[in-house]
Amino acid sequence: MRRHYLQRAATEIADRRAAAILAARALVEIRYLAGPVRREERDASPGDDLDRICFLADLCHNLPGVAQPPAWQPSRKNAPMSSRERAMAERPMSWVWNTAGPHGRAWILDQLYQAGHDWTPPPALPTAQAGPPYLTLRQRAGLAGRWPVQTPDGRIALPRQARVLKALDTDGICALYEEAGRLRLGLGKGGPWLRAHLAPDSTHYLVPDPADYYWPDPNGKIRWWQCTALLRMSDGEQVTSMVAVLPETFTALPSTLARRRQHQLVHLARATERDTYLWRRDHEAECSQQRCGYTPEPNGSDAGIGRRQRY
């Protein structure tokens, strides 16, 4: 089928044009399936048509944003792009194609073939980079300058007490996650899994680094600081996580690091692509009471612990 598709297609199109064509054709098919002509036909049940409509809507709901995207902005001002963000900037159809599944991919190729266009599918999305991330010479040196966490346009700057990175031991970082869960702050989940899988004698780091949509506001709707945690896991890998911390709790933590070292670590935390969610997913197969001192939840309820929100 793919070979025949390439032979017949007349023009090579880019991702944005492909997205516009696919969105339009999906809407035409949905209109037909929901219309009176279809209801008069007997070759499919209403349940089949509804399933088809759900399939098309799920596959194509974000295609208008691919076809005519707003200017890309990172969720954190001046934050580096991840490898996945760079891949999606180069090939805007990457997410749709790589999450479509075999049935969805077949529909995409068939619709573009019928429209008389050739289109080259994007490659697989890159996996989050493991190991130390790339930092510029200035970032590695921790040279003095503007604090890396910058205020989004139109927002009120965080107080001076928030422009600092702090070092904590394993008990200290776990206590913050437990407080976030106890107070139901809505961001950060600790519990037995986190404590069992952190390196017990290592130092972990914490810095207020709110995304635009979690930036504290003067009306008090978000009264906590979204913090990035740079954690050392039991196998020695450093990964990131997110946790909500009350301003008074963060301010009370001791500050023991030189300013230059703080700058280095903030850049490191922001550039680290692997988070606790991905680390847990890769570790899950070998996790056991005997190996880790932890019995995995049978329903996977701890799977989203501290997942970093980038997109």
Side-chain angles (χ1 to χ4, degrees):
M1 173 184 171
R2 176 63 178 157
R3 184 179 302 168
H4 179 56
Y5 160 75
L6 287 173
Q7 290 172 349
R8 177 177 170 179
T11 57
E12 176 80 23
I13 57 174
D15 283 8
R16 301 205 190 285
R17 176 62 177 154
I21 293 171
L22 293 169
R25 294 181 73 92
L27 288 173
V28 169
E29 187 173 347
I30 288 172
R31 183 176 63 182
Y32 161 71
L33 292 170
V37 174
R38 181 63 169 177
R39 289 196 296 273
E40 293 172 1
E41 297 176 348
R42 303 296 182 186
D43 61 335
S45 70
D48 292 335
D49 287 347
L50 183 59
D51 288 343
R52 180 68 173 179
I53 289 172
C54 290
F55 161 74
L56 292 170
D58 182 60
L59 179 63
C60 301
H61 72 278
N62 63 353
L63 286 179
V66 175
Q68 289 186 321
W72 184 86
Q73 294 289 338
S75 61
R76 290 169 174 80
K77 189 173 182 179
N78 201 39
M81 292 179 71
S82 68
S83 58
R84 177 166 291 196
E85 288 170 332
R86 288 192 295 271
M88 290 192 292
E90 294 172 1
R91 292 298 308 270
M93 280 286 291
S94 291
W95 179 261
V96 175
W97 177 257
N98 283 287
T99 59
H103 189 33
R105 291 183 179 186
W107 182 87
I108 289 172
L109 294 177
D110 184 57
Q111 294 301 312
L112 295 175
Y113 165 69
Q114 291 183 36
H117 294 294
D118 186 11
W119 174 74
T120 302
L125 285 168
T127 57
Q129 175 187 344
Y134 169 79
L135 297 177
T136 67
L137 180 60
R138 184 180 184 87
Q139 290 170 340
R140 292 197 303 270
L143 298 179
R146 295 185 65 184
W147 185 243
V149 178
Q150 296 182 17
T151 307
D153 296 338
R155 303 298 184 92
I156 298 176
L158 295 176
R160 185 176 183 83
Q161 299 93 309
R163 298 193 291 273
V164 61
L165 177 141
K166 298 189 177 182
L168 297 91
D169 60 16
T170 295
D171 287 339
I173 198 74
C174 287
L176 294 178
Y177 280 87
E178 290 162 5
E179 180 180 78
R182 185 174 64 254
L183 298 179
R184 298 183 178 181
L185 299 181
L187 185 65
K189 179 181 178 182
W193 183 92
L194 185 66
R195 185 176 289 275
H197 292 94
L198 290 175
D201 300 324
S202 289
T203 301
H204 315 281
Y205 304 100
L206 188 77
V207 59
D209 189 12
D212 289 2
Y213 42 82
Y214 281 142
W215 198 266
D217 62 77
N219 296 323
K221 294 178 182 177
I222 299 179
R223 60 189 181 91
W224 37 264
W225 293 340
Q226 181 190 19
C227 292
T228 295
L230 185 62
L231 307 175
R232 180 76 67 180
M233 306 307 291
S234 56
D235 63 353
E237 183 179 355
Q238 274 191 309
V239 300
T240 60
S241 181
M242 293 290 171
V243 60
V245 181
L246 295 176
E248 56 270 27
T249 299
F250 182 84
T251 303
L253 297 172
S255 179
T256 59
L257 298 173
R259 195 63 174 172
R260 182 171 180 173
R261 181 59 175 157
Q262 292 181 40
H263 276 260
Q264 290 174 321
L265 289 166
V266 174
H267 288 303
L268 178 63
R270 285 189 141 201
T272 297
E273 296 190 2
R274 293 255 296 170
D275 57 18
T276 49
Y277 170 82
L278 295 176
W279 189 92
R280 179 195 183 278
R281 186 192 64 185
D282 294 342
H283 171 77
E284 189 172 21
E286 59 188 42
C287 187
S288 66
Q289 177 68 36
Q290 294 74 21
R291 179 183 178 90
C292 305
Y294 174 78
T295 303
E297 295 288 341
N299 61 355
S301 61
D302 56 357
I305 290 175
R307 185 167 191 174
R308 189 170 188 178
Q309 302 182 7
R310 282 185 176 269
Y311 311 111

